[in-house]
């Protein structure tokens, strides 16, 4: 089993992946920790060991590891945490990694590592051109053209980020729980806020995808993932594939491409 670690702006997600009998990546478990810049590797190691024990996973179960980060100050602490936990030096995803992509961007070093992983998975897995939409702290779109060329994308505030900004700045609006609204027309203030956040995000996904298709001059495969996509994707009109574990599977793919090992 391979340990995959994605360091996001809000949450660190660790998962164990291996290939099943069909050669498909199977997620055996996932655990999550809060992203806390400045936290020590010893502290993360203690929490991760506890989470794995609660999930019934032995540290010796891992034959390799891979890590991507959009929080630079946490890359080294988590690298050390993973190295000690698994006894292996993790593959670190960078723009220089073998992703199978041609990155057609003026500043390739500035692209988020999570976006590289999403794009690499889409290029390897789905008909191209493809658009990936990863919904977390930010909502990020990647456009992967035929020939596995990463053309660019779109970055927008995440659903929860926008919702928090709204309720923080509006005196008469209070925080609401995220869920998929049953209707667009809200009848209470809470329903209106929820509809604006979630149905509004679905409309954005549909609208931006349509504009991308118009610019490319051809239809795309739309792939949705990320922790908040589960609330939004039921309302999207554009045909799409919903894979909540796309990023972890992409990390496993990049482990294989960059280590010479097999995810098993």
């Amino acid at each position: 089993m391979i340990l995959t670690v994605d360091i996001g702006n809000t949450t660190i997600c660790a998962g164990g992946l291996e290939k099943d009998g069909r050669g498909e990546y199977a997620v055996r478990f996932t655990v999550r920790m809060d992203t806390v810049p400045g936290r020590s590797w010893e502290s993360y190691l203690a929490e991760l060991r506890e989470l794995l024990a609660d999930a019934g996973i032995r540290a010796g179960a891992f034959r390799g590891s891979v890590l991507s980060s959009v929080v630079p100050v946490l890359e080294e602490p988590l690298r050390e945490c993973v190295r000690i936990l698994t006894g292996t030096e993790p593959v670190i995803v960078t723009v220089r990694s073998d992703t199978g992509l041609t990155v057609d961007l003026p500043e390739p070093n500035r692209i988020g590592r999570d976006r590289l992983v999403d794009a690499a998975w889409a290029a390897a897995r789905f008909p191209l051109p493809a658009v990936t939409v990863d919904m977390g702290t930010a909502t990020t779109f990647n456009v992967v053209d035929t020939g596995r060329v990463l053309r660019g994308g779109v970055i927008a505030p995440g659903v929860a980020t926008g919702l928090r900004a709204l309720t923080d700045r509006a005196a008469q609006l209070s925080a609401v729980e995220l869920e998929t609204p049953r209707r667009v027309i809200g009848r209470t203030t809470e329903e209106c806020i929820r509809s604006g956040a979630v149905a509004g995000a679905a409309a954005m996904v549909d609208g931006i995808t349509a504009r991308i298709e118009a610019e490319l001059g051809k239809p795309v495969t739309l792939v949705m993932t990320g922790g908040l996509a589960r609330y939004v994707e039921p309302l999207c009109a554009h045909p799409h594939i919903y894979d909540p574990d796309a990023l972890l599977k992409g990390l496993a793919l990049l482990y294989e491409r960059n280590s010479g090992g097999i995810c098993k």
Side-chain angles (χ1 to χ4, degrees), residues 39-259:
R39 187 179 180 188
S40 69
W41 68 263
E42 294 95 340
S43 177
Y44 271 120
L45 179 60
E47 182 178 0
L48 186 54
R49 279 177 167 160
E50 183 177 346
L51 290 170
L52 292 177
D54 290 344
I57 305 297
R58 297 178 297 103
F62 304 110
R63 61 183 304 274
S65 56
V66 57
L67 181 151
S68 72
S69 175
V70 297
V71 185
V73 298
L74 283 180
E75 183 175 299
E76 182 57 28
L78 266 296
R79 184 200 67 80
E80 184 68 7
C81 169
V82 170
R83 185 185 69 80
I84 291 176
L85 180 73
T86 66
T88 66
E89 190 66 35
V91 171
I92 305 295
V93 176
T94 74
V95 73
R96 294 178 296 279
S97 299
D98 175 10
T99 61
L101 299 167
T102 297
V103 181
D104 182 24
L105 298 173
E107 297 179 294
N109 288 324
R110 296 191 63 187
I111 187 170
R113 306 303 183 246
D114 55 343
R115 292 183 60 197
L116 278 176
V117 177
D118 283 341
W121 178 243
R125 181 69 178 176
F126 302 109
L128 300 179
V131 171
T132 68
V133 180
D134 197 328
M135 309 193 82
T137 305
T139 296
T140 59
F141 293 69
N142 292 308
V143 180
V144 186
D145 208 347
T146 51
R148 299 190 175 189
V149 179
L150 178 56
R151 297 292 185 198
V154 175
I155 301 176
V159 179
T161 302
L163 187 58
R164 187 163 53 250
L166 173 66
T167 55
D168 284 350
R169 296 295 297 273
Q172 290 187 301
L173 300 182
S174 56
V176 300
E177 291 294 324
L178 275 177
E179 61 183 59
T180 305
R182 290 175 293 177
R183 53 182 175 261
V184 172
I185 303 173
R187 294 178 57 79
T188 67
T189 300
E190 289 74 16
E191 287 181 354
C192 291
I193 295 171
R194 188 176 293 115
S195 179
V198 180
M204 179 184 69
V205 171
D206 288 337
I208 288 180
T209 303
R211 288 170 183 259
I212 289 170
E213 290 179 324
E215 287 189 19
L216 293 177
K218 47 195 169 185
V220 301
T221 305
L222 176 60
V223 183
M224 298 185 64
T225 190
L228 302 182
R230 66 183 184 274
Y231 302 116
V232 177
E233 66 89 15
L235 302 181
C236 289
H238 193 290
H240 61 275
I241 298 159
Y242 171 53
D243 186 351
D245 298 315
L247 197 145
L248 296 183
K249 294 173 184 176
L251 283 171
L253 170 71
L254 295 189
Y255 170 82
E256 291 192 336
R257 293 189 69 99
N258 289 273
S259 72

